[in-house]
Amino acid sequence: MIKFDNVSVSFTNKKGQIVDAVKNVSFNVNDGEILGIVGTSGAGKSTLLRTVNQLQLPTGGHTIVDGKDIGSLSGKSLAKFRHSIGMIFQQFNLVSTKTVAQNVAFAMEIAGHSKEEIKRRVPELLSLVGLSDRADVYPSTLSGGQKQRVAIARAVANNPKILLCDEATSALDPETTNDVLQLLEVINIKFGITIVLITHEFDVVKKICHRVAVMNKGELVEIGDVSDVFTKPQHEFTKTLLSHTFDLDLPGRLTEDKSKPLVKIIYNGEKAENAIVSNVVKLYDVDVNILHGKIEYINDKPFGILIVQLIGKQDDIYNSLDYLSNNTYRTEVINERD
Amino acid sequence: MNETNYSELLNNLLPAFGETLEMCGIALLLAVVLGTPLGVLSYITSKHSICQNRVVNLIVGFFINVIMSTPFVILLVLLLPFTRFVVGTSIGPEAASVPLGIVAIAFYARLVEGNLHAIDKGVIEASLAMGATWFRIVTNVLLPGAFSGMIRGLTVLAVTLVGYSAMAGIVGGGGVGDLAIRFGYYRYQTDIMIITVLLLIILVQIIQTIGEKASRKVQK
Ligand SMILES: Nc1ncnc2c1ncn2[C@@H]1O[C@H](COP(=O)(O)OP(=O)(O)OP(=O)(O)O)[C@@H](O)[C@H]1O
Ligand SMILES: [Mg+2]
């Protein structure tokens, strides 16, 4: 659907320095998928996304949509192409002088739909996003979540093939974020719209993305299925990003006490459901003291971390560690004696 | 001090008031009709805007700046040949409307441009992303978005023009300001001067009040 082919974008900033915002990025976005792009601030996520509808021209390489090089489009053909791409933003960007219904109608007017067609479709769209009763109010009277719903209705008004979301939930509280994400998922499934979604929250990725691309300093450092990237991050940067999501902070006195091993057990996929910890207790003469833990479900597959303290005789502890290593995704002792 | 002849004053005052309204009215009309598109042109051709064009932007900016920075009295004199060419005479309220109108156009163009710059860039970007043409963005996003500010600007302009119209009186433009100068200043009829000035103050107040009401009414 979308093919980034060696895309680079550089800017000259106000001081006259050249900023390489995107550097030789190549990857594909598949038809019908929800792809997340994550990365720290300034990683070039927005800039890359904006090459998809030529809000930004690549200074090197090509962004190709449906086999068409977007950089070669201009004038009428560019306008026509843009009708087939929806976009939503962190700040919603609704026209404040138009009512909710008029905002949605605006997108259709731009695409040249007839008055009758617009009149028929706008209520449909508003009911899709659950705002039928707010059709005639102005955006300033809406909550953030409602504004984003209007923006979504507007973005899908012309039956786009692709929906671009630039931090669409970053200005919303967690509950509203969930609602908006659910709506995006519905749109993806119901209309088969391919969604590319920028976020800095792994939580968002976890909830609705199929695949995730990780960007750092303008480069693509990793791309893959969400569960793979979460459980087997290949790149140092991804690991750092993820560790913030799975930050399990223990009080210092526990990690400093080297007399009893602290073991970090990482579960991945189906293994999380096996009774591994209780097996250890039964098989070997050790006590297991659970200090911290978190299990997440990514695309229905469990992924989690457990931090335990093993108490017992040296031999038993070694055997337990062996058993854990063999039966979990990964096991490591985090307070190794130096 | 001369005896004040109030019936003479009244006979002079009413037409003078009409002349002031005529001069300022014509100038305001010109400002709205020509100053608005000029302001829009200046905005959309500016850097990073929707119709970026350096040459057009420089020309428009230069025109506006020259008019705004030339003292009005000098502009009056400099424009005399042009005024004669357009209205056939250089005396009277119609003639005074020409320089007044030109100042109004430049002044209003800047005010419009300023209001356009205050519009959220994100909304413009969203419109571009939907494939809107620059013309549709101007008519659907920019002008409606700047509307209440433009009305406020029109109020400021009207008030300024009332002041400028008094200066136009010096070169035979007529109007209340002219009356104030002729009777009050040259003939030392202080009471007439006070009456005319009061009249101007009331006129300005009325304009201000109407303008503020209107601008608040259209705010979304
Ligand atoms: N128009 C521009 N002119 C100059 N530099 C720019 C421009 N747009 C972006 N940049 C620079 O390019 C880099 C990448 O910016 P970009 O907005 O793509 O990052 P991002 O990953 O979206 O970050 P954030 O999470 O903060 O939105 C930044 O260093 C930014 O300062
Ligand atoms: Mg960004």
Side-chain angles (χ1 to χ4, degrees), chain B residues 117-190:
Chain B
H117 273 292
I119 289 178
D120 186 1
K121 304 279 177 297
V123 182
I124 297 169
E125 179 159 292
S127 310
L128 284 174
M130 290 188 271
T133 57
W134 67 266
F135 185 75
R136 198 182 284 275
I137 295 178
V138 168
T139 52
N140 277 267
V141 178
L142 294 179
L143 289 179
F147 193 54
S148 94
M150 278 161 57
I151 288 183
R152 229 174 300 122
L154 211 56
T155 314
V156 174
L157 178 63
V159 169
T160 311
L161 284 179
V162 170
Y164 275 22
S165 74
M167 270 190 266
I170 300 172
V171 296
V176 183
D178 176 44
L179 201 67
I181 292 167
R182 269 194 291 131
F183 282 69
Y185 189 67
Y186 292 129
R187 286 161 65 175
Y188 300 103
Q189 290 175 319
T190 320

Side-chain angles (χ1 to χ4, degrees), chain B residues 2-219:
Chain B
N2 295 338
E3 268 298 299
T4 306
N5 180 341
Y6 283 98
S7 80
E8 188 202 345
L9 172 65
L10 206 65
N11 283 341
N12 278 295
L13 208 53
L14 283 179
F17 202 70
E19 282 164 7
T20 296
L21 289 183
E22 185 186 350
M23 277 189 280
C24 297
I26 293 174
L28 275 180
L29 195 71
L30 286 171
V32 172
V33 175
L34 298 175
T36 308
L38 201 65
V40 169
L41 189 65
S42 180
Y43 173 79
I44 63 174
T45 56
S46 65
K47 208 171 177 188
H48 300 307
S49 192
I50 51 177
C51 267
Q52 190 174 333
N53 187 320
R54 210 174 130 75
V55 176
V56 174
N57 191 255
L58 280 178
I59 294 172
V60 173
F62 184 72
F63 169 78
I64 295 174
N65 284 342
V66 164
I67 291 169
M68 301 265 295
S69 54
T70 309
F72 183 61
V73 188
I74 293 176
L75 202 67
L76 269 178
V77 178
L78 284 179
L79 282 173
L80 277 178
F82 178 68
T83 306
R84 221 172 279 132
F85 171 74
V86 176
V87 287
T89 168
S90 58
I91 295 177
E94 279 91 18
S97 313
V98 174
L100 216 49
I102 287 182
V103 168
I105 290 169
F107 195 100
Y108 198 54
R110 271 281 180 263
L111 284 172
V112 168
E113 190 193 353
N115 278 303
L116 293 176
H117 273 292
I119 289 178
D120 186 1
K121 304 279 177 297
V123 182
I124 297 169
E125 179 159 292
S127 310
L128 284 174
M130 290 188 271
T133 57
W134 67 266
F135 185 75
R136 198 182 284 275
I137 295 178
V138 168
T139 52
N140 277 267
V141 178
L142 294 179
L143 289 179
F147 193 54
S148 94
M150 278 161 57
I151 288 183
R152 229 174 300 122
L154 211 56
T155 314
V156 174
L157 178 63
V159 169
T160 311
L161 284 179
V162 170
Y164 275 22
S165 74
M167 270 190 266
I170 300 172
V171 296
V176 183
D178 176 44
L179 201 67
I181 292 167
R182 269 194 291 131
F183 282 69
Y185 189 67
Y186 292 129
R187 286 161 65 175
Y188 300 103
Q189 290 175 319
T190 320
D191 48 353
I192 293 194
M193 190 154 82
I194 290 172
I195 290 173
T196 50
V197 169
L198 278 178
L199 210 60
L200 287 177
I201 291 174
I202 291 171
L203 180 61
V204 164
Q205 279 300 334
I206 292 173
I207 294 172
Q208 195 88 46
T209 312
I210 294 175
E212 264 161 35
K213 278 235 168 72
S215 138
R216 225 171 301 135
K217 192 151 192 178
V218 299
Q219 194 126 38

Side-chain angles (χ1 to χ4, degrees), chain A residues 34 88 148-149 152 165 168-170 172 174-188 195 197-199 201-209:
Chain A
I34 304 182
I88 58 175
Q148 199 59 291
R149 286 165 176 279
I152 291 172
C165 312
T169 58
S170 302
L172 307 175
E175 204 173 315
T176 319
T177 295
N178 277 341
D179 293 347
V180 168
L181 291 180
Q182 263 170 30
L183 180 58
L184 291 178
E185 206 164 22
V186 166
I187 283 166
N188 171 255
I195 298 181
L197 177 153
I198 291 180
T199 178
E201 293 166 278
F202 262 109
D203 248 14
V204 171
V205 173
K206 208 173 60 196
K207 282 198 183 104
I208 68 164
C209 292

Side-chain angles (χ1 to χ4, degrees), chain A residues 14-307:
Chain A
K14 290 207 174 81
K15 289 178 208 142
Q17 297 154 328
I18 291 179
V19 183
D20 292 318
V22 176
K23 298 179 210 162
N24 305 314
V25 170
S26 297
F27 69 90
N28 292 345
V29 181
N30 303 327
D31 219 337
E33 79 173 332
I34 304 182
L35 178 107
I37 302 178
V38 295
T40 45
S41 187
K45 308 180 293 289
S46 299
T47 308
L48 181 69
L49 192 75
R50 289 156 52 87
T51 66
V52 176
N53 56 3
Q54 217 211 78
L55 284 178
Q56 179 68 57
L57 270 172
T59 46
H62 307 272
T63 300
I64 294 160
V65 177
D66 257 353
K68 249 182 298 180
D69 183 352
I70 301 318
S72 69
L73 298 176
S74 65
K76 282 221 165 66
S77 59
L78 176 61
K80 188 146 183 284
F81 167 75
R82 282 174 171 169
H83 303 155
S84 68
I85 311 266
M87 188 166 191
I88 58 175
F89 307 83
Q90 179 171 3
Q91 295 307 329
F92 323 120
N93 295 346
L94 300 175
V95 183
S96 61
T97 52
K98 289 183 187 290
T99 63
V100 166
Q102 286 166 349
N103 262 285
V104 179
F106 186 41
M108 297 185 68
E109 286 161 16
I110 290 171
H113 290 279
S114 69
K115 281 216 165 63
E116 295 75 51
E117 172 75 5
I118 294 174
K119 219 169 154 190
R120 188 186 62 73
R121 185 151 162 81
V122 169
E124 270 177 31
L125 288 158
L126 290 181
S127 117
L128 170 76
V129 300
L131 285 173
S132 300
D133 54 332
R134 312 312 300 271
D136 297 319
V137 307
Y138 287 92
S140 61
T141 63
L142 298 178
S143 71
Q146 289 173 327
K147 283 181 193 166
Q148 199 59 291
R149 286 165 176 279
V150 178
I152 291 172
R154 180 177 74 172
V156 299
N158 295 318
N159 294 310
K161 287 172 292 186
I162 298 170
L163 178 62
L164 309 174
C165 312
D166 193 347
E167 310 256 12
T169 58
S170 302
L172 307 175
D173 61 54
E175 204 173 315
T176 319
T177 295
N178 277 341
D179 293 347
V180 168
L181 291 180
Q182 263 170 30
L183 180 58
L184 291 178
E185 206 164 22
V186 166
I187 283 166
N188 171 255
I189 294 167
K190 203 165 162 186
F191 308 118
I193 297 177
T194 306
I195 298 181
V196 185
L197 177 153
I198 291 180
T199 178
H200 57 257
E201 293 166 278
F202 262 109
D203 248 14
V204 171
V205 173
K206 208 173 60 196
K207 282 198 183 104
I208 68 164
C209 292
H210 306 133
R211 288 199 306 149
V212 60
V214 184
M215 285 186 74
N216 182 31
K217 296 187 181 140
E219 290 176 58
L220 175 79
V221 297
E222 200 160 330
I223 181 166
D225 282 349
V226 172
S227 47
D228 289 343
V229 172
F230 268 57
T231 54
K232 289 167 260 179
Q234 300 299 310
H235 199 277
E236 249 345 282
F237 177 73
T238 318
K239 287 180 193 163
T240 324
L241 261 187
L242 275 170
S243 73
H244 296 306
T245 321
F246 285 99
D247 242 353
L248 299 182
D249 272 331
L250 287 176
R253 64 182 164 80
L254 288 174
T255 43
E256 277 152 28
D257 176 7
K258 315 253 188 222
S259 66
K260 301 168 200 128
L262 273 184
V263 183
K264 182 159 136 191
I265 303 167
I266 301 176
Y267 294 99
N268 178 12
E270 43 296 325
K271 281 178 177 167
E273 281 145 15
N274 296 345
I276 295 156
V277 175
S278 70
N279 284 348
V280 167
V281 179
K282 278 184 223 152
L283 286 169
Y284 311 99
D285 189 16
V286 291
D287 286 321
V288 176
N289 189 10
I290 296 175
L291 297 172
H292 215 322
K294 190 171 183 180
I295 307 256
E296 298 268 6
Y297 289 83
I298 300 154
N299 290 340
D300 286 339
K301 288 185 208 154
F303 170 56
I305 294 177
L306 208 56
I307 295 179

